[in-house]
Amino acid sequence: TTAGDDDYTEYLYKILVVGDIGTGKTSIIKRFVHNIFSMHYKSTIGVDFALKVINWDPKTEVRLQLWDIAGQERFGSMTRVYYKEAVGAMITFDVTRASTFEAVSKWKADIDSKVTIGPEEKPIPVVLLANKCDLGKEGFIKTANEMDKYCKDNGFIGWFETSAKENLNIEKAARFLVEHILKMD
Ligand code: GTP
Ligand code: MG
């Protein structure tokens, strides 16, 4: 959605945040939007929403409507409804739990089968977040090269090691996704 006059433009983008249970979606969003973090785990029920306003440049404002979808929803029947009109997504996994990485391709397939952009029905851009990188990585040993290849093979625009706890790379990942979306506009 675009509004504005000759010299100022506001964009509103619906962004999905998905990934398995407890991988840090809510924590990433809370860090990104409010700059807070808690070790206390309160599982999301259904979906939550947050708005992040980015002053992109003096002539551009980007509003991200973040859809924080419960990991549990992968087994539900609501994702098609939640995904409607999204223009980008982040998929999270927890670097300490390999099973959450195995679920990444399932989330990606779910998104690609239920939401597309434009008359050409192109897949929406998706960025991959390897979260909790402040912790050890016993359950998940992949090199940066292997991750690059994984992204290329599976249609991710890129990947970032993130930590909601230590506020690492979350903003960078979001900016990367927005840049991609702006270019498609
Ligand atoms: P669901 O809503 O159940 O799908 O989970 P979620 O993906 O929203 O996970 P949530 O953000 O609730 O985080 C789960 C747990 O992991 C919480 O105890 C968080 O404090 C913790 N956590 C999240 N991100 C990080 C991180 O970057 N580092 C560490 N050490 N812990 C994290
Ligand atoms: Mg949550």
Side-chain angles (χ1 to χ4, degrees):
T1 317
T2 310
D5 52 36
D6 287 347
D7 57 352
Y8 195 76
T9 314
E10 285 173 19
Y11 295 96
L12 177 64
Y13 294 141
K14 173 175 172 177
I15 306 293
L16 310 172
V17 184
V18 301
D20 263 7
I21 297 165
T23 53
K25 300 174 293 294
T26 302
S27 302
I28 286 167
I29 291 169
K30 289 230 157 91
R31 175 61 85 186
F32 185 45
V33 175
H34 306 293
N35 200 20
I36 54 171
F37 176 80
S38 163
M39 282 304 287
H40 178 75
Y41 178 29
K42 184 165 166 277
S43 198
T44 305
I45 311 287
V47 63
D48 267 336
F49 305 95
L51 182 73
K52 170 76 175 181
V53 180
I54 305 174
N55 295 309
W56 191 258
D57 63 37
K59 293 181 172 184
T60 318
E61 182 179 281
V62 174
R63 295 173 160 252
L64 300 182
Q65 191 184 73
L66 301 162
W67 287 52
D68 176 8
I69 296 165
Q72 191 64 48
E73 292 294 313
R74 183 155 65 83
F75 310 101
S77 56
M78 286 299 287
T79 57
R80 186 183 299 278
V81 177
Y82 296 150
Y83 294 172
K84 206 168 182 297
E85 286 171 7
V87 296
M90 299 176 171
I91 299 181
T92 60
F93 69 97
D94 175 343
V95 294
T96 70
R97 287 186 291 142
S99 67
T100 66
F101 179 71
E102 282 148 30
V104 164
S105 61
K106 294 174 186 156
W107 282 106
K108 181 71 165 62
D110 195 49
I111 289 175
D112 287 344
S113 67
K114 292 174 180 168
V115 62
T116 55
I117 291 185
E120 291 156 57
E121 305 194 342
K122 286 192 282 190
I124 66 170
V126 184
V127 69
L128 180 59
L129 307 184
N131 193 43
K132 308 196 188 182
C133 71
D134 56 285
L135 300 173
K137 291 186 201 165
E138 295 84 44
F140 179 76
I141 298 145
K142 283 225 187 307
T143 63
N145 275 338
E146 286 170 327
M147 285 300 288
D148 288 343
K149 184 170 190 312
Y150 179 86
C151 284
K152 211 166 161 242
D153 293 347
N154 293 276
F156 288 88
I157 60 168
W159 67 281
F160 293 83
E161 280 187 316
T162 60
S163 168
K165 187 167 181 232
E166 297 186 349
N167 196 12
L168 209 94
N169 282 341
I170 294 169
E171 196 148 322
K172 204 168 162 189
R175 287 196 155 258
F176 183 78
L177 180 60
V178 169
E179 261 162 30
H180 208 90
I181 297 166
L182 281 167
K183 265 189 239 152
M184 302 190 310
D185 244 44

